[in-house]
Each structure stands twice: as structure tokens, then as C-alpha cells.
Amino acid sequence: MADFGPKPGKQRDDRGLGGVVDFLLANARVVLGVSGAAVLAIATLVVKKLIDRATSPSEEDDLKAKQQSLEESWQELSLVKAVPKPQLKTRREDLEEPLLSPVVAVQEPEGCDPTAQAPMVESRSLLCLTPQEKLLSYYRDHISVPEAEKTRAKRLAGDICAELQSFLKSKHSELPFGRMFLSGYLCDDLVGGDRLEVAFMLPLVLESTLWHLLPGEQTVVNDPSFGMIKRTGLEYFPRGSSPWDRFLVGGYLSSNAIHGVLHKILVASVNWPAIGSLLECVVRPVMTPGELRLEVWCERARLDVTLCPVVEAGEKAFLAASSEEPVENLWRQSFYAAEVSKLKELDAGDSGLRQCCLGLLRFAFEHHPSWSKLTGRPLSHALLHLSDTESDWSEAVLADRIQQVLEGLVLYLEEGFLPCYFDSRINLLGHLGPEDVDEIGYTLYAALSGPDLATGLGL
């Protein structure tokens, strides 16, 4: 039993302290007299009480601590006794039963989103779909754009185009630009994903008696996909007779010079904040020197606008070549209108899904780090080449046709030559270097070697 009484050592200390006090009081009567002894006795008693108060709490604390530890010990003992012991199983049926209790479903904590498991359910359901059903589902959910959104985007693009045309006419009336018009995937219902692409086609009105188009094979580049516009009649019509003479470089109309002037106009001259406020959108020019682009945000839609200076020569259209070309006077021939017209004509003839196939391929290639170097033009022409040999482009064979287009691209990359559908002399892979061709070909082959086409395309 624990002893909670005072310890003997402390009792002896108390008796010794009292003896000292009595000794002092007894001698004080002799030395100080009765009155002095009384004062000393009172002071001594006060000091003794103070000492007792200082020492007594520690003993009480020790006592309380021991009582608390004793109570905790009894509580632990009671908890140990409260744990039920498993009953011994005597029957064979009982011995075969598991000792563990069945798992009880845990309730979800408050604030947990019950739709968090939706992607898992969706992925499980996709496992039961055929390859073409997976592709069509992805096209419907992630690529296809509602008609109302496309209509709103076209209207906004038309308003911005009209504002830019008005600015060019008022501030740069010395340059005879033609009437701007819209083109691109948005206008032809081939747009997909969250980026709506549209082109502002800006025709350059050239005097037919002063300018002459040279085919690319007759120029220093010897490439039929390009052309050069030569200034003629300088002996009769000296320099300055045409407003476009300010863009002459070496006797040819420089696409780079025109490109640079238009870039300065887009970046530094046009008041885009005012136009955006008027049209209830945000318009920002892309500051990259080599690009004539605008980024437009309106509600949840995003427009990617490209300004394209174009020179029309008969039935051919030539766009200002990029600044990456070795010769700055080049104009690249555009087959976009013919590509779109042919695709729509073929789909209308057999109710095919060539345009859907092109949308899936473009989306996959644009979001791949290596394949993005292949623009929509090689994909369109590879698809058109396959249409010459395959007549069935129905929904049931969509996955097979995409597989064939990709296999054809791998073969074209191995040869390093993808002929233009409308002019077999033009190589649509000519802008790629050997390392780019090897990288794209290898990654495409790896994607085709996988068990699932949609997964290999990143869809």
C-alpha cells in the first residue's frame, strides 16, 4: 500500500525548526526584554507560516499526482477487462467459420464529390466499345463543335474582319488591297476542339501590265510549290509607277517586306482594345515577328485568326511564304480551297466520314509533340490519295480507314516524298528535315503497333 502521509525526514526538519525558534525566543527575553522578545516572537511566527505555505503545495501536488496515476492504472485495468475474449469453438462448423468480422461499408465524408468515380465508370464502359465507336465517341465529346457556337464565332470573325478592312482603307489607302473575306476550317465546318481557326484572306490588287508570275520551277528554288512575282516594264514604267514598288527586292515583289508591314500594322497601329470593347470580346495580336495572327476570346470560345496576304493569278492562289524559307521573295501556292471542295464532294457522293476522319487526325497530330510538325495539308492529301483506292468510308470502317491513312503516312515518310493530290510534282514533306522525318515515322509506327488505335493516337 502506498503511504500518502508525511515523510519522517520532513517531520524531523519541522521539529528542528521549532527548537531553533524556541531557543531564540528564550534567549530574546534575556537580551531584549519582554517587549523586544514579543516583537521577535511575532516576526518569527510570520516567517514560519510563510515557510510552511511554500513547502506544503509541493506535498499536495505529489499527493494529487499519485492519486491521478492510481486512478489511471485502475482505468487501464478496467479497459483490459472490458475487451471480450473470443469464445472457443467446439463444433467443426464453428471452426470453419472465419474469425474476422465482415467489412462494413464506410460512409463517405461530407463534401465528397459523388461524381469523382465517373471517369472510372466511363473508362470501363469504353472497354466495351468497338474501335470505331471509341473514335466516334471521342469526336462527339471532344472535337465536334455545336452549330450555335460555330455560328457565333463566324459572326464575330466577320465583324473583326470588317473593322480591320475599314482601318486599312482609312489609314493605308495608298495600298490597293482587295475586299477581305473569311476562309479556313471554321468557315468550312472542319473546325474541331477548343481552338476555332479562321483565316482573313487579304487580296493584293496588282497591275497585270506591271507584274508577272514566274512558276517555281523557273526560279532559283526549282520548286513547283512556290512562285515569284516579277516587276516588268521598268523601261517604260519606272519604279514608283506602282504602289507596290516599295516592296521590290531584286526586281521581285517581296513577300517578307509585305509581311513585315502588315505585322507592324497589327501590333502597333490598330486599336484592338477599342475594337474588342465594341464587339464585347478580347482581341490581342501575336507579337512573334514571323506571324500575322490574332487571338480572340469571347465568352468560352477562342478564335485563332491568321491574316493571309494572297495574290491571285488566274485559278491559282499564292500566299506569302513564311520567313523561314531561304529566299524572301517566294509565294507559296495554296490548294486549300480545292482540298475542301474535293472532300465535301466525295462525302456528299457516298455519305462518307472523310471530314470526320480528317478532324480526328488533325486533333491527334496537333496535340502530339512530334506529329504537330505535319500540318493539316499533308493529312488532307494522304486521305485524298486513299480515297482513290477505297470507296467505302462509312461509319463501320472509320477505324480501318484511319489506320490505313497512318500506314500510308509511314510509307510516305520512308520514301521522304508525299505527292500533292493536285500536282504530283510537289512534295508536301519538303519542309521537314531528315531528323524530323525519322522521328515522326518512328513514333507513328510505334502508335500503330499498339493494341488500341485510339490509345496510340492519344485520344
Side-chain angles (χ1 to χ4, degrees):
M1 296 261 325
D3 186 8
F4 300 106
K7 295 183 180 180
K10 290 188 176 182
Q11 290 180 358
R12 287 193 299 267
D13 294 340
D14 294 341
R15 288 195 299 268
L17 183 61
V20 172
V21 171
D22 294 339
F23 177 77
L24 291 175
L25 291 175
N27 293 330
R29 291 191 188 98
V30 178
V31 177
L32 300 177
V34 178
S35 60
V39 174
L40 180 60
I42 294 173
T44 304
L45 291 175
V46 171
V47 173
K48 183 178 180 181
K49 288 184 179 181
L50 292 175
I51 294 174
D52 292 338
R53 289 181 181 178
T55 56
S56 60
S58 61
E59 296 177 359
E60 293 177 2
D61 292 342
D62 293 341
L63 178 61
K64 291 180 180 180
K66 291 181 179 180
Q67 290 178 351
Q68 185 176 0
S69 62
L70 183 61
E71 290 175 0
E72 291 176 354
S73 301
W74 281 106
Q75 290 177 359
E76 292 175 357
L77 182 61
S78 63
L79 289 175
V80 172
K81 291 182 179 180
V83 175
K85 296 182 180 180
Q87 297 180 359
L88 296 178
K89 301 194 175 188
T90 56
R91 296 184 302 171
R92 181 177 298 273
E93 306 90 297
D94 298 337
L95 292 174
E96 293 178 356
E97 295 179 3
L99 291 177
L100 296 178
S101 59
V103 178
V104 181
V106 180
Q107 296 182 356
E108 295 183 358
E110 296 183 358
C112 180
D113 186 6
T115 62
Q117 297 181 354
M120 182 181 297
V121 177
E122 182 180 358
S123 62
R124 291 177 180 176
S125 63
L126 289 177
L127 294 176
C128 304
L129 300 178
T130 61
Q132 54 266 14
E133 288 174 341
K134 288 183 181 180
L135 294 172
L136 287 172
S137 175
Y138 194 91
Y139 181 84
R140 181 179 60 254
D141 297 338
H142 301 281
I143 300 178
S144 180
V145 180
E147 289 297 329
E149 186 174 343
K150 287 191 290 187
T151 302
R152 185 169 56 251
K154 290 178 185 178
R155 186 184 306 113
L156 177 60
D159 294 339
I160 297 174
C161 183
E163 292 292 335
L164 181 57
Q165 177 87 69
S166 176
F167 177 85
L168 292 175
K169 186 176 181 180
S170 61
K171 300 296 183 181
H172 299 275
S173 57
E174 72 280 3
L175 297 177
F177 291 111
R179 183 176 181 82
M180 294 176 63
F181 60 93
L182 301 182
S183 182
Y185 293 114
L186 175 62
C187 301
D188 297 308
D189 295 329
L190 294 175
V191 71
D194 57 350
R195 192 166 60 97
L196 309 180
E197 298 174 277
V198 63
F200 290 175
M201 309 303 291
L202 180 61
L204 277 61
V205 180
L206 303 178
E207 299 87 351
S208 58
T209 57
L210 302 181
W211 303 95
H212 175 68
L213 175 67
L214 287 179
E217 57 270 23
Q218 299 180 13
T219 63
V220 293
V221 294
N222 192 23
D223 189 343
S225 61
F226 293 99
M228 298 180 70
I229 302 175
K230 184 178 181 180
R231 176 69 156 87
T232 60
L234 286 174
E235 62 276 11
Y236 302 105
F237 303 96
R239 185 166 182 168
S241 301
S242 172
W244 301 107
D245 284 343
R246 57 186 289 193
F247 303 106
L248 276 178
V249 175
Y252 294 90
L253 183 64
S254 173
S255 58
N256 280 7
I258 295 177
H259 196 284
V261 170
L262 291 176
H263 183 267
K264 291 180 181 179
I265 292 175
L266 289 182
V267 172
S269 300
V270 183
N271 189 355
W272 293 116
I275 295 176
S277 177
L278 177 64
L279 301 178
E280 297 182 353
C281 63
V282 177
V283 185
R284 295 177 182 173
V286 176
M287 307 301 292
T288 307
E291 299 182 358
L292 298 176
R293 289 178 50 237
L294 300 173
E295 294 179 345
V296 183
W297 288 271
C298 182
E299 296 179 357
R300 292 177 297 176
R302 175 193 169 188
L303 282 177
D304 191 349
V305 180
T306 303
L307 180 62
C308 299
V310 57
V311 174
E312 297 177 352
E315 297 181 354
K316 297 181 180 180
F318 290 83
L319 304 178
S322 64
S323 57
E324 299 177 357
E325 299 298 336
V327 182
E328 66 174 12
N329 300 331
L330 294 177
W331 295 77
R332 180 176 56 82
Q333 186 174 358
S334 173
F335 297 96
Y336 175 78
E339 297 167 10
V340 174
S341 177
K342 186 64 176 179
L343 283 174
K344 291 187 174 183
E345 178 187 347
L346 292 173
D347 278 349
D350 57 9
S351 300
L353 295 179
R354 295 174 183 82
Q355 299 175 69
C356 175
C357 177
L358 178 61
L360 286 166
L361 289 172
R362 285 185 58 247
F363 187 87
F365 274 61
E366 287 177 357
H367 291 79
H368 194 278
S370 299
W371 303 347
S372 59
K373 298 174 184 178
L374 277 180
T375 59
R377 189 170 57 147
L379 297 177
S380 301
H381 288 251
L383 193 149
L384 288 174
H385 283 303
L386 183 62
S387 297
D388 289 341
T389 58
E390 297 291 346
S391 59
D392 185 6
W393 287 81
S394 62
E395 179 179 318
V397 295
L398 176 63
D400 296 334
R401 295 296 172 262
I402 292 180
Q403 180 96 8
Q404 289 177 301
V405 171
L406 296 176
E407 291 174 351
L409 278 175
V410 172
L411 295 177
Y412 292 133
L413 288 167
E414 289 180 357
E415 298 175 0
F417 191 91
L418 171 57
C420 173
Y421 185 79
F422 304 100
D423 190 346
S424 59
R425 302 173 302 166
I426 298 176
N427 180 18
L428 299 180
L429 302 179
H431 65 287
L432 298 176
E435 295 181 357
D436 295 333
V437 171
D438 293 341
E439 182 181 4
I440 296 173
Y442 175 78
T443 51
L444 269 179
Y445 182 81
L448 291 172
S449 303
D452 184 69
L453 178 62
T455 304
L457 293 176
L459 302 178

